[in-house]
Amino acid sequence: MMSARASAAVLLASLFLTAVAAAQVPSPTGNLYGTVLDEQGSSLPAVSVTLAGPGAPLSTTTDRKGDFHFLNLSPGAYSVKLERKEFEKARRDVTVLLGKNAVLSVTLPVAGAAESVTVSSEGPLVDSRKTGTGATFGSKELQTIPTTRDPWAILRQVPGVLIANVNVGGSGSGAQSGFVGKGSHSDQNTYNLDGVGVTESNGQTSVYFDFDSLDSIGVVTGGSDPSLTTSGVTLNLVTKRGTNQLLGSARALYAESAGWDYGVEAGGPLWKNRLWLWGAFAQGTFLGQTAVLPGGEQTQSKPTIDLWNAKLTSQLAASNSLVFSYANSNKHDPGQFAAPDRSQPTTYDEVFTTSAYRLEDSHVISANLFSALSFSYLSDNITQTPQGGLDSQALFDKDFVWRNSFEFHSARRPRYQAGLTASGFFDTGNLRHELKFGFGYKNAPTDSLSSWPGDGLVGFEPFGLASITRNAHIKWLAKSYDAFLGDTIQAGNLTITVGARFDYQQGKNRPSAVPANPVYPDLLPAVQYGGNSGYPVTWRQFLPRVGVTYSLGSSRKTLLRASYSEFANRLKDEVVALNAFPGAQGLYYYWTDANENHRVDKGELDLSRLVFAFGVDPNNPGSSVPVNQIAKDLKPPTTDELIVGVEREILSDLSAALAYTHRSARNPEFLLPDYFPLIGTSRDSYQYVGNASGTARASPENGGLVLNFNEPYYRLVTCPAPCAGGVLENRKDFTETYNGVELQVVKRLSHGWMLRASFAYNDWRQNVGPGAILNPNNMTGGTNASGPVVDGSVNSKWQFNISGLVQLPFGIGASANLFGRQGFPVLYNVQVITNDFNLFADPHIQIGAVGAYRLPAVYLLDLHVQKLFRIGTAVTISPVLDCFNVANSHTVLRREGFVGSYDATQEQAFNPNRGFNAPGELLSKRVFRGGARIAF
């Protein structure tokens, strides 16, 4: 047996020799920790411990303090057998959950007593090693609680997580939703599938999921775990695996309007106790949100998705295991981004094709030393093609509605990742230590294209303007490295976790080229861009993490917790601001539609006066020099987090947890493109002009709202030439704070029922000091006003979710899910025409305070019932019936906040938007889903 010092030395050496990896991704596993005592409460060393579960049996012995551990276990049910001479044998049944620690304390009676056997469905409910907030959902909950069978429906059940929409599609995985968590913005969210990071730079994912293939879903919303990368919500999804039994299932479900959702999954041994294989296929057509088009017409997208999953697990040696996983999703979604200002031809046919591969090797070096090395690759391709095609010109008509077609997008985003983690156990006196190390690496190149259709000319009828555009071909690279070190120290009832992580992120642009505008090649010629020679954006951050847990009393069923953590934002696409083509570029001129064909024709533009330029130097449009700048002292935004809480195991199957979270976010970046300071401008570059005032009247079908507004606005009076670019910098004198309370009550499945209830109070606010205001116009979202923070329009003070299952006689199971939250704010705004020479001089001004106008509260009740029929001992057939939105409510989830434009130089200064206050999204009607599932 190696000494503690020798173990630590070997561990450090092995880690530093492989320190080529970064961008940590949590392992798709759980852990089991145990302590063995005699009847007097003294530690029992040298107890033989055998663990039997989904894979081959594992064995170890207890150390001098009676402790044992098994790490990186696949989620599932396990049996622990304990043996020592002169003592009775004992067995414990325990379930290991994703990202959780099952902690056992076992007392062995002396020989002669009856064998002690205790069966527990998931082990103790409270975990003294826990360092964060969130929730974990096992396979039983995933299959029996009525949801739209997608991860975003599960996120609704996690306190502190706010979902941008409420899907009532009846069958899931077809409609992603943005979400925020406890004062973190959506671009900092993280998705992991079987240990593969599948997050896009904006915090979303291009991967879709077969719900029946998922074994567990874990959600982390905060805490001191040093492997957590950002302050955003971390969503960990783990698929099933093969075991020594041949197990599988098939389903066929039909939801009205949505169509069929069917699939099959199965797994078993290729070589018992050594090699296992599992695979799945699914296909379905699903309903998206109920959106409202111009004129009030309602529409729902119906994406079609094909999904493949596979996992090969091997344990050829007792101390080593190897896992290869594969996932593929192919989604076609017609009619994306429907809205009151987007006619049907301007909505997107969206195609996502992704494949994820991961190989992980785990090795038990000794009883006190464990390591795991992983490699993964993600192939990620997306295209967004307007339904109007690529031949027609796009038009923003006099009613403020997009017509004919829209901007085309495509992107290829492969991801290369590698990671190494290790754990070492040792004692120093009476202190027990688990030392954790981790390194990681991520290489993420992106190749994206944006272009306006037709001849690249776009008309804006309300303003008498037209744009001559040029494509954007953006090729850029982001790399990240990280390392973390943490120690979990236990002394009696006290557990302390101390750790830190180091993040090293960098990004650069790569060479690319764009063609000239086909109609005006002299104004926007072709350009070759050489990219960056080095990495103009490089962030290095050292982030401390510490947590304390104290168990009250000898029973240790009440835990007091506290933690402090610092997080740094993920590098997104900041470097793109330095690209020669930061977006589809445009030169804007006055336009007269002489032949009234609602099309921009050559000769209709007044080329004698350029109104403004976007993304291009109007004095040198053939230049490849970027018009934007990034401040040399740009820092990653950071968040400080403090959590205090209490958790109590009320009964052996019932627990409750209460937590308070405070967060303070510093050094935010100015937002693109809504609040992007122009180069060389400051607060003094703007002059107060007057107040935009008027009365917006919504039509009766749009609610009949009468909204009086009177908002100040400012005109840009000085701007150094060419006044076409901005500077990306940290916003000084600006902070965001979050104060929230969350309550969770969990009754796991026993005695025929289970329950999960959660409630959260969220207070997310921004604090704007005088030094934070460079452009004094208070733009949409309240950019210059202290008050509530909105991400999109997401902000709710309160939310709750209650779900439960009852097992009735005759094999009948009934379950329900009740969800509610405060309605989101409506961001009413008016566009002010300043008649300036720059796009940013025509701001959309926020009307009133953010949160002054809110949508109605949302409540949603879903029901599920199933009947189990057994055929022999191995096969079951379960007819199922679900009812979503039982009350058939049609709550408005989004309204058109744009009231119209204001131009003081016109006789009628206020030009109202006819679609003002139109419902943009409704809670979908009541939906029934029925079908059957076969399991064997």
Side-chain angles (χ1 to χ4, degrees), residues 612-766:
F612 53 80
F614 178 74
V616 60
D617 182 351
N619 299 322
N620 190 5
S623 172
S624 63
V625 177
V627 296
N628 295 324
Q629 297 176 4
I630 293 181
K632 293 182 179 179
D633 61 348
L634 181 70
K635 301 175 182 177
T638 58
T639 299
D640 292 300
E641 175 193 82
L642 174 67
I643 299 176
V644 294
V646 59
E647 187 173 4
R648 170 70 178 175
E649 183 179 315
I650 302 171
L651 300 170
S652 61
D653 57 1
L654 177 66
S655 68
L658 178 68
Y660 162 75
T661 300
H662 171 79
R663 282 181 165 180
S664 178
R666 297 167 293 149
N667 297 322
E669 299 165 311
F670 280 102
L671 302 178
L672 291 171
D674 299 324
Y675 200 64
F676 194 35
L678 293 162
I679 296 172
T681 65
S682 67
R683 172 66 180 82
D684 295 334
S685 303
Y686 291 82
Q687 181 183 78
Y688 170 72
V689 177
N691 280 26
S693 59
T695 300
R697 291 181 171 86
S699 63
E701 59 269 23
N702 291 340
L705 175 67
V706 177
L707 180 64
N708 296 307
F709 61 91
N710 186 28
E711 302 295 337
Y713 69 95
Y714 301 78
R715 179 177 182 268
L716 183 67
V717 293
T718 60
C719 182
C723 198
V727 57
L728 180 60
E729 58 184 323
N730 296 112
R731 192 174 184 186
K732 301 175 179 63
D733 203 14
F734 181 99
T735 60
E736 292 182 1
T737 58
Y738 172 85
N739 291 281
V741 177
E742 58 191 277
L743 171 67
Q744 286 197 81
V745 178
V746 178
K747 162 64 173 66
R748 63 192 179 194
L749 183 60
S750 63
H751 306 99
W753 67 286
M754 68 179 179
L755 174 74
R756 181 189 294 270
S758 66
F759 172 83
Y761 170 80
N762 313 291
D763 185 15
W764 188 15
R765 306 182 66 82
Q766 65 184 23

Side-chain angles (χ1 to χ4, degrees), residues 743-911:
L743 171 67
Q744 286 197 81
V745 178
V746 178
K747 162 64 173 66
R748 63 192 179 194
L749 183 60
S750 63
H751 306 99
W753 67 286
M754 68 179 179
L755 174 74
R756 181 189 294 270
S758 66
F759 172 83
Y761 170 80
N762 313 291
D763 185 15
W764 188 15
R765 306 182 66 82
Q766 65 184 23
N767 311 288
V768 183
I773 301 175
L774 298 184
N775 180 339
N777 288 297
N778 186 36
M779 288 181 274
T780 306
T783 54
N784 287 336
S786 296
V789 176
V790 290
D791 187 311
S793 61
V794 177
N795 179 291
S796 290
K797 287 278 190 177
W798 57 266
Q799 64 182 119
F800 71 86
N801 197 93
I802 303 172
S803 62
L805 165 71
V806 177
Q807 294 176 328
L808 302 172
F810 309 109
I812 298 174
S815 59
N817 191 88
L818 175 64
F819 165 76
R821 63 157 170 80
Q822 183 186 30
F824 291 157
V826 183
L827 304 179
Y828 293 120
N829 65 93
V830 57
Q831 184 177 21
V832 178
I833 310 303
T834 63
N835 297 294
D836 267 327
F837 47 83
N838 193 282
L839 172 67
F840 297 97
D842 291 339
H844 285 254
I845 303 295
Q846 175 70 38
I847 295 176
V850 171
Y853 306 96
R854 282 187 178 269
L855 296 165
V858 179
Y859 300 96
L860 184 67
L861 175 64
D862 302 329
L863 301 177
H864 168 90
V865 64
Q866 67 180 45
K867 173 72 171 72
L868 186 68
F869 295 95
R870 296 190 180 276
I871 301 177
T873 59
V875 178
T876 61
I877 299 177
S878 302
V880 299
L881 178 64
D882 298 303
C883 180
F884 299 91
N885 190 10
V886 173
N888 198 31
S889 56
H890 299 274
T891 309
V892 177
L893 302 177
R894 178 165 52 89
R895 284 190 179 274
E896 175 58 66
F898 178 49
V899 303
S901 63
Y902 180 89
D903 187 347
T905 66
Q906 300 297 313
E907 181 177 351
Q908 181 178 326
F910 177 50
N911 180 19

Side-chain angles (χ1 to χ4, degrees), residues 4-340:
R5 181 176 298 176
S7 297
V10 170
L11 180 59
L12 284 168
S14 65
L15 290 170
F16 284 117
L17 286 173
T18 53
V20 296
Q24 286 298 321
V25 175
S27 176
T29 58
N31 303 312
L32 172 62
Y33 297 90
T35 300
V36 184
L37 307 171
D38 63 19
E39 291 176 299
Q40 286 70 45
S42 299
S43 302
L44 270 183
V47 176
S48 176
V49 184
T50 303
L51 180 71
L58 302 173
S59 62
T60 188
T61 56
T62 58
D63 61 19
R64 66 184 184 88
K65 291 184 178 292
D67 293 339
F68 67 91
H69 49 264
F70 296 97
L71 306 183
N72 261 38
L73 299 174
S74 298
Y78 290 84
S79 177
V80 183
K81 186 177 181 180
L82 305 106
E83 299 178 275
R84 178 177 156 168
K85 189 177 180 181
E86 299 178 352
F87 288 84
E88 289 290 348
K89 298 178 182 178
R91 181 176 63 85
R92 297 290 186 270
D93 292 342
V94 62
T95 296
V96 174
L97 298 177
L98 170 64
K100 298 291 186 179
N101 301 310
V103 182
L104 296 179
S105 180
V106 183
T107 298
L108 289 187
V110 296
E115 182 179 350
S116 172
V117 178
T118 302
V119 178
S120 173
S121 63
E122 294 179 2
L125 283 168
V126 296
D127 172 16
S128 62
R129 308 176 75 93
K130 177 182 175 183
T131 62
T133 55
T136 300
F137 302 84
S139 57
K140 190 68 176 179
E141 259 183 297
L142 297 183
Q143 293 301 330
T144 58
I145 299 301
T147 69
T148 48
R149 295 171 48 78
D150 59 60
W152 302 278
I154 297 300
L155 283 169
R156 289 209 310 256
Q157 304 180 46
V158 181
V161 179
L162 296 172
I163 306 296
N165 59 32
V166 184
N167 190 1
V168 189
S171 294
S173 293
Q176 287 196 30
S177 175
F179 56 92
V180 302
K182 299 210 302 187
S184 66
H185 287 275
S186 58
D187 59 9
Q188 297 304 308
N189 294 332
T190 301
Y191 289 84
N192 302 306
L193 175 62
D194 280 332
V196 181
V198 293
T199 314
E200 300 174 22
S201 61
N202 60 1
Q204 296 182 347
T205 182
S206 57
V207 176
Y208 289 80
F209 311 98
D210 172 24
F211 210 62
D212 274 17
S213 291
L214 296 177
D215 178 88
S216 308
I217 296 179
V219 183
V220 181
T221 58
S224 59
D225 185 344
S227 68
L228 288 177
T229 56
T230 72
S231 61
V233 179
T234 298
L235 183 63
N236 299 314
L237 304 105
V238 176
T239 58
K240 298 175 181 178
R241 56 155 292 172
T243 68
N244 280 331
Q245 286 183 283
L246 178 61
L247 300 173
S249 66
R251 72 177 185 278
L253 305 174
Y254 181 82
E256 56 179 321
S257 302
W260 286 99
D261 167 18
Y262 57 88
V264 61
E265 58 86 20
L270 297 179
W271 180 8
K272 190 173 182 179
N273 286 337
R274 291 292 181 266
L275 190 64
W276 305 267
L277 177 65
W278 169 86
F281 169 75
Q283 186 180 75
T285 302
F286 313 108
L287 278 181
Q289 291 295 109
T290 299
V292 180
L293 294 169
E297 179 186 357
Q298 296 185 16
T299 182
Q300 283 183 290
S301 64
K302 292 183 66 174
T304 301
I305 305 178
D306 294 333
L307 299 153
W308 295 88
N309 288 277
K311 186 176 291 184
L312 181 66
T313 309
S314 71
Q315 191 168 332
L316 302 181
S319 60
N320 187 274
S321 64
L322 193 68
V323 179
F324 173 77
S325 60
Y326 167 76
N328 174 270
S329 64
N330 191 339
K331 175 198 172 193
H332 177 214
D333 190 353
Q336 270 275 44
F337 301 107

Side-chain angles (χ1 to χ4, degrees), residues 498-520:
V498 180
R501 64 178 288 120
F502 177 72
D503 287 326
Y504 180 45
Q505 307 178 78
Q506 54 186 186
K508 72 174 183 179
N509 293 294
R510 299 182 295 154
S512 61
V514 295
N517 178 275
V519 181
Y520 294 97

